[in-house]
Amino acid sequence: MKTVTLTLSGVLLATSALIAPGLAFAQTPPAEAASQVPADQDPAAQDEPEATGELDEIVVLGRYIPEPNRESAEVAAFLTSEDLERTGDSSAAGALARVTGLTVVEGRFIYVRGLGERYSSALLNGSPLPSPEPLQRVVPLDLFPSSILESVTVQKSYSVNFPGEFGGGVIDLRTVDAPNDPFFSMSTSFGGNTETTGDEGLVYFGSRTDFTGFDDGTRDIPVPLAIAFGRGVPVNSANVGAQELERIGHSLVNSPLRLLQRDTTPINFGFDFAGGLKSDSSLGTFGLIAVAGYSNSWGTRNGVQEEAQFSGAVLVPVTSKAFESNQNDIQLNFLGGLSLITDNSDYRWTNFFVRNVTKEARISVGPDFDAGGAVQRTDYTEWFERQLFSSQLSGEHEFMDGALEISWRGAYALTQRDAPYESRFSYGVAADGSFLHEIGGNRISFSELDDDIVSGGADLSYTLPLSDYRDAVFSLGVAYSDNNRDAERRDLRFVPAGTLTLEQRRSRVDYLYSDANIGPTGLILSEVTGSAGSGAAAYSAQLKVAGAYAQVDAEFIPLVRTTFGVRYEDGQQSVTTRDLFGGAAPFAPTEIDEQYLLPSFTATWNFAEDQQLRIGASQTIGRPQFRELAPQSYTDPETDREFTGNPFLVDTEILNIDARYEWFFARQQYLTAGVFYKDLDKPVEATIVTSGNARQQSYLNSPQATIFGAELEAKKFFEFPDNGSAFIANKRWLVQANYTWSDSEVQVEAGDFVRTPGGGGANEDATFFISDGSRLQGQSEHVANLQLGWEDDTARSQATIIVNYVSERVSARGAGGAGNREPDYIQDPGIFMDFVYRKDFEVGGRDMGFAVELRNLLNTGYDEFQELGNRILINNYELGSSASVSLTARF
């Protein structure tokens, strides 16, 4: 067992120092809050005898402190349904980009305070979620449309009632609940993008029903191939007869899934439905809520991807390819909830389903180092199905007039990712400039991933009154989760029986791979699953976590609320590779079995009305994700980069210290300022590794890292007197801004070591891979958000300008080298500016809503690079500006 003891004496001394001035500070008790009339002017007071005693209680009202902030003892940020509506973001990922210290990577994953997505955990109504991504264990937040969300909490300081896997923060998504009044609404939206809509883009046919997000069966594994897969031997001429192998080759779908074409890209569109009601009965109040939606959007990318090598002391590009991609994203979602509320109990059953499909066609062309600098072209057709289903049953019960509360939850969640017919075809260039098939560069892959979590938990709390105004809440809780993942990948290619003719090499791809050319004397199907460089063909992974905690939340001393507790957590994580053909596992099993005692402490000093100071300290952990441990190769369609895991990773231990000042000077208006510090022992970082000329992105444990920073946030409304301009006077004007500055440092000393797959798990000199003093991977020095807008209750309109800035961050460590370690990969997110306008109105007595959203008005692009003597464009493309309009009808 690892027992971690924090030195909190400094915190306690600071707290005691704050108490003395606080004891002399008294506020109006709640019973007196209704009247602020001086006693000499209050007739009722004049009839009372003069009070000669002293107040024995010190109460701070905090009338402007919002309920979530008042109830939470931790440093946290809250997004309400009002916030989600104002920014108009379609998903949880987009909305969270507006929160102080948060950045969104790839439009899906949240970085909290510069720590990568592996240090953030996502919960749905308090229950953990599995991920449909082969490259992540954390669930991508673009899967959650904002229409299903009631609120989002981002807790940045740790409390022991949450899982111990906590680095940057925990994100708790709360779904909408049944309304008090029955309602039904429907909305539709249309939009476009300057880089995409109306222009000719790459496409491939696929199937007739692709627009629904469901294939019509075209991409199913053909029966002859499925039978061959089931025999447990590679599908090649050594194991399968020539005629059967020919039948299998003929069964693979050809033209619809291989032929790239060009077509005009259509507009984006979507629609949503929502409804709910409550009904009283003899058992209690029943509630029903249902939300469903569909969206279909397109995105075109035209850019450059380069790879570099040293030429003396500088980097020069040795591979430089222009690429074009057209991606069609289809999402369907459904949320259904039932609730029963009685006098002392609440029961809720929540079900959520989302399916996100990406259909992509792309081409890359340019000089390739692996081809001796010759121009190479590669065509890709891909179809990725991601879906998540979650079902949760929960209950809350009150006893002893509310003094004793018991809550429980049980959930099952399943995510699946299916990628059938991932196709790749390569071409060289003839002397006349035409493209010729490079038959060795063809590949057809089928991969599947299933990831599920069974989880449950129970919490018990007892409230003990300390006085008329102060309570102590004693809490106990247990939690358990069992996360299982199975992943499998099959890779096929066609090899020629002899030399292809020039006519065949010049032919269209669907002609070359037609049935006439597949056979014993032409193209022969051969399985290359698990071949060199592709890692394990299949793996199974499991993470079991059992936890229990005890916590005390009390105002033992007036004005100072303290929350302290400890969590015990037992985590057992394993990744086991499998040989699909009955041989020995290609890699030894990875097992991480650790037990931790994780303490936390937070003190909140309410030293003045509507002002408070929080300080906190805790110890938490970070576990390697399945994809980081699994030695199986995947190509990320976002970056065209190949990833493989490192089975020698270990847990990260994290010390967290936070302090924040909060001033809520008016309703919905505030000023907060905070500082934070984190010490990470063996943080996991992404790094580029090379094998010959091939490059992959993998992972390693850096020896040590620290991150510290400051956060500032303000929100203020302005109202102006009538000066003759109704446009100015009738509105409430908003200014909201937040800024986070942070700095980090990775510490590497002589004698420090890392373990990598290339080194077979042996100790390797850490300085070969990491530079001492470098910035922590994924961490930006500056993150800023600004919102300027108005609310007009008379006109029922709202407008907001939204600006987001994120400074450069390390996206991956550069490849190590003897004497020359490449500089790190840097991503520059840049500045984004959006505009959202909303207006409600009535038509025929029906309540309607209209919205306009303009995104990326500055036309900021995606920029990832290396720089040493030359600027190497690792991945660069334009994102374009986009616009959409939506109309909502409420019944």
Side-chain angles (χ1 to χ4, degrees):
M1 176 184 294
K2 295 188 177 180
T3 303
V4 185
T5 304
L6 295 181
T7 305
L8 299 179
S9 57
V11 176
L12 294 171
L13 286 172
T15 303
S16 63
L18 300 178
I19 295 171
L23 291 175
F25 186 90
Q27 296 280 348
T28 309
E32 302 173 25
S35 175
Q36 299 295 329
V37 180
D40 59 355
Q41 300 178 22
D42 187 349
Q46 293 175 9
D47 294 335
E48 296 291 333
E50 182 177 351
T52 58
E54 295 183 359
L55 287 175
D56 60 358
E57 285 295 338
I58 300 167
V59 179
V60 176
L61 291 180
R63 55 180 172 167
Y64 293 133
I65 300 177
E67 185 176 346
N69 299 79
R70 190 197 307 269
E71 290 183 353
S72 173
E74 307 301 328
V75 175
F78 303 92
L79 284 179
T80 64
S81 55
E82 180 185 76
D83 298 322
L84 296 171
E85 184 177 359
R86 171 179 289 280
T87 58
D89 296 294
S90 60
S91 70
L96 287 168
R98 321 298 180 190
V99 176
T100 309
L102 270 63
T103 56
V104 178
V105 177
E106 298 179 8
R108 298 182 291 169
F109 301 106
I110 297 296
Y111 281 29
V112 182
R113 290 175 167 175
L115 292 170
E117 82 279 356
R118 70 175 62 83
Y119 296 111
S120 301
S121 58
L123 305 175
L124 185 64
N125 297 323
S127 294
L129 292 166
S131 174
E133 296 294 324
L135 302 179
Q136 278 84 16
R137 189 172 80 235
V138 62
V139 66
L141 295 181
D142 66 325
L143 290 179
F144 300 92
S146 56
S147 59
I148 70 150
L149 299 176
E150 177 66 28
S151 64
V152 182
T153 299
V154 182
Q155 187 167 306
K156 299 180 183 179
S157 65
Y158 178 65
S159 57
V160 296
N161 57 310
F162 280 119
E165 197 170 348
F166 179 101
V170 61
I171 300 165
D172 193 6
L173 308 170
R174 293 285 169 175
T175 56
V176 292
D177 199 2
N180 291 323
D181 299 316
F183 85 99
F184 176 75
S185 68
M186 54 189 298
S187 65
T188 183
S189 63
F190 298 91
N193 178 274
T194 57
E195 292 289 317
T196 305
T197 310
D199 294 337
E200 282 199 345
L202 288 171
V203 295
Y204 71 95
F205 178 76
S207 80
R208 292 168 297 178
T209 58
D210 283 358
F211 72 95
T212 68
F214 291 89
D215 177 86
D216 67 359
T218 298
R219 296 180 180 86
D220 290 349
I221 297 177
V223 173
L225 181 60
I227 293 173
F229 279 165
R231 291 177 181 151
V233 294
V235 181
N236 55 35
S237 56
N239 301 300
V240 181
Q243 289 186 339
E244 184 180 359
L245 202 58
E246 181 178 353
R247 283 197 302 273
I248 295 172
H250 290 174
S251 71
L252 293 171
V253 179
N254 187 19
S255 295
L257 302 183
R258 292 172 179 165
L259 181 63
L260 292 181
Q261 305 176 69
R262 290 192 177 276
D263 199 0
T264 302
T265 306
I267 63 172
N268 305 329
F269 68 96
F271 50 83
D272 294 276
F273 300 93
L277 55 86
K278 280 187 177 178
S279 177
D280 293 329
S281 72
S282 58
L283 295 176
T285 301
F286 282 97
L288 170 68
I289 185 73
V291 180
Y294 167 87
S295 65
N296 190 315
S297 61
W298 296 80
T300 298
R301 298 174 181 175
N302 288 279
V304 177
Q305 294 174 336
E306 295 183 332
E307 293 181 356
Q309 289 195 355
F310 278 104
S311 177
V314 301
L315 285 177
V316 295
V318 294
T319 294
S320 183
K321 293 187 176 183
F323 74 93
E324 179 183 355
S325 164
N326 197 18
Q327 181 173 304
N328 183 202
D329 291 300
I330 305 107
Q331 179 169 292
L332 302 99
N333 63 81
F334 173 78
L335 173 79
L338 294 172
S339 62
L340 173 63
I341 301 175
T342 65
D343 291 338
N344 59 359
S345 296
D346 289 3
Y347 301 91
R348 302 182 191 278
W349 184 32
T350 305
N351 296 277
F352 175 59
F353 171 81
V354 62
R355 179 180 175 88
N356 189 300
V357 172
T358 297
K359 179 182 181 181
E360 184 175 12
R362 71 182 189 276
I363 292 177
S364 67
V365 182
D368 192 310
F369 180 74
D370 292 339
V375 173
Q376 293 280 292
R377 169 182 151 188
T378 308
D379 296 357
Y380 302 85
T381 60
E382 294 162 326
W383 171 271
F384 301 106
E385 301 173 3
R386 299 181 297 157
Q387 65 181 36
L388 163 66
F389 170 73
S390 171
S391 182
Q392 182 193 61
L393 188 64
S394 62
E396 298 178 0
H397 312 277
E398 292 184 354
F399 304 95
M400 302 170 60
D401 294 327
L404 179 65
E405 296 184 3
I406 298 175
S407 63
W408 53 269
R409 62 195 176 276
Y412 171 75
L414 170 67
T415 60
Q416 297 172 300
R417 180 187 186 270
D418 190 13
Y421 279 99
E422 282 185 78
S423 299
R424 182 184 75 194
F425 302 99
S426 297
Y427 302 82
V429 179
D432 61 0
S434 62
F435 288 106
L436 303 175
H437 286 283
E438 293 286 355
I439 194 66
N442 77 88
R443 185 72 58 89
I444 301 172
S445 301
F446 297 84
S447 62
E448 294 182 346
L449 181 149
D450 293 328
D451 197 325
D452 67 75
I453 291 182
V454 177
S455 64
D459 303 276
L460 182 149
S461 65
Y462 176 73
T463 302
L464 176 67
L466 299 178
S467 72
D468 291 341
Y469 305 104
R470 296 181 290 118
D471 296 321
V473 181
F474 299 87
S475 302
L476 297 171
V478 294
Y480 176 80
S481 66
D482 186 359
N483 183 192
N484 291 271
R485 171 178 285 194
D486 283 298
E488 182 176 309
R489 183 182 181 90
R490 307 296 291 255
D491 296 304
L492 305 167
R493 57 178 292 196
F494 285 97
V495 295
T499 303
L500 294 180
T501 66
L502 184 60
E503 182 182 359
Q504 287 176 315
R505 294 188 65 194
R506 288 184 185 275
S507 63
R508 231 168 59 176
V509 64
D510 55 331
Y511 292 166
L512 176 62
Y513 294 97
S514 65
D515 290 353
N517 290 325
I518 297 175
T521 60
L523 299 178
I524 303 171
L525 189 67
S526 179
E527 184 169 7
V528 291
T529 297
S531 60
S534 63
Y539 72 89
S540 298
Q542 184 178 46
L543 173 61
K544 288 184 178 181
V545 179
Y549 75 89
Q551 179 176 272
V552 179
D553 183 355
E555 193 175 332
F556 292 114
I557 302 172
L559 304 178
V560 180
R561 176 184 180 182
T562 55
T563 303
F564 54 91
V566 63
R567 183 181 187 90
Y568 169 79
E569 200 161 274
D570 183 348
Q572 301 174 12
Q573 186 170 6
S574 64
V575 175
T576 304
T577 59
R578 303 195 310 272
D579 187 298
L580 295 176
F581 312 124
F587 298 91
T590 297
E591 294 186 1
I592 302 176
D593 188 352
E594 299 283 7
Q595 295 79 41
Y596 297 92
L597 284 177
L598 304 171
S600 72
F601 173 87
T602 304
T604 301
W605 181 33
N606 197 181
F607 62 90
E609 186 173 12
D610 301 313
Q611 297 184 60
Q612 53 193 22
L613 178 67
R614 300 183 192 270
I615 55 175
S618 62
Q619 182 75 26
T620 58
I621 57 171
R623 295 185 176 94
Q625 299 181 17
F626 291 148
R627 56 102 177 202
E628 295 168 346
L629 289 168
Q632 187 180 62
S633 294
Y634 285 97
T635 299
D636 180 8
E638 294 288 334
T639 62
D640 278 342
R641 199 173 298 152
E642 194 162 303
F643 287 72
T644 189
N646 178 1
F648 307 107
L649 298 177
V650 298
D651 290 351
T652 303
E653 297 182 21
I654 309 168
L655 171 67
N656 311 277
I657 299 176
D658 288 271
R660 185 162 80 165
Y661 162 76
E662 301 172 348
W663 178 26
F664 298 90
F665 51 83
R667 183 177 177 271
Q668 297 181 325
Q669 302 175 68
Y670 52 81
L671 172 69
T672 69
V675 293
F676 59 90
Y677 171 84
K678 295 179 184 291
D679 188 298
L680 297 89
D681 182 39
K682 296 182 175 59
V684 176
E685 294 197 285
T687 184
I688 301 298
V689 295
T690 59
S691 177
N693 295 328
R695 286 170 175 255
Q696 288 185 325
Q697 185 163 315
S698 189
Y699 307 91
L700 52 75
N701 286 108
S702 293
Q704 196 80 20
T706 58
I707 178 172
F708 58 93
E711 297 176 326
L712 184 66
E713 183 173 16
K715 182 179 181 180
K716 171 67 177 173
F717 286 105
F718 295 90
E719 297 185 54
F720 299 97
D722 190 354
N723 58 359
S725 172
F727 181 80
I728 298 294
N730 291 340
K731 295 176 175 58
R732 188 167 71 146
W733 296 82
L734 167 71
V735 177
Q736 182 173 352
N738 61 68
Y739 169 71
T740 301
W741 172 86
S742 58
D743 193 14
S744 61
E745 182 177 321
V746 178
Q747 297 149 5
V748 184
E749 300 177 353
D752 285 337
F753 62 87
V754 297
R755 292 173 176 168
T756 68
N763 292 347
E764 300 176 79
D765 186 355
T767 59
F768 186 82
F769 298 90
I770 308 162
S771 296
D772 182 52
S774 58
R775 185 177 291 274
L776 190 68
Q777 184 251 321
Q779 190 260 325
S780 296
E781 185 175 5
H782 307 284
V783 177
N785 293 286
L786 174 67
Q787 294 185 36
L788 303 172
W790 81 71
E791 296 175 354
D792 189 332
D793 292 338
T794 302
R796 300 175 67 188
S797 65
Q798 183 185 83
T800 312
I801 296 173
I802 307 163
V803 182
N804 172 250
Y805 169 69
V806 179
S807 65
E808 294 180 354
R809 58 184 170 224
V810 176
S811 56
R813 296 288 176 204
N820 280 332
R821 195 185 71 80
E822 289 184 4
D824 296 333
Y825 286 16
I826 304 296
Q827 184 192 354
D828 185 6
I831 302 176
F832 285 81
M833 185 168 73
D834 304 334
F835 174 74
V836 178
Y837 173 77
R838 299 183 179 279
K839 181 175 177 58
D840 291 341
F841 56 95
E842 287 189 3
V843 174
R846 187 76 64 198
D847 196 20
M848 308 287 287
F850 171 77
V852 176
E853 299 177 16
L854 306 178
R855 303 290 182 182
N856 194 17
L857 293 173
L858 301 180
N859 199 26
T860 302
Y862 185 92
D863 184 15
E864 185 182 21
F865 62 91
Q866 276 181 300
E867 199 161 24
L868 185 62
N870 295 297
R871 188 181 178 93
I872 310 301
L873 305 180
I874 300 298
N875 199 19
N876 290 70
Y877 54 86
E878 296 298 324
L879 294 170
S881 302
S882 61
S884 68
V885 296
S886 63
L887 184 66
T888 302
R890 306 179 182 95
F891 300 88

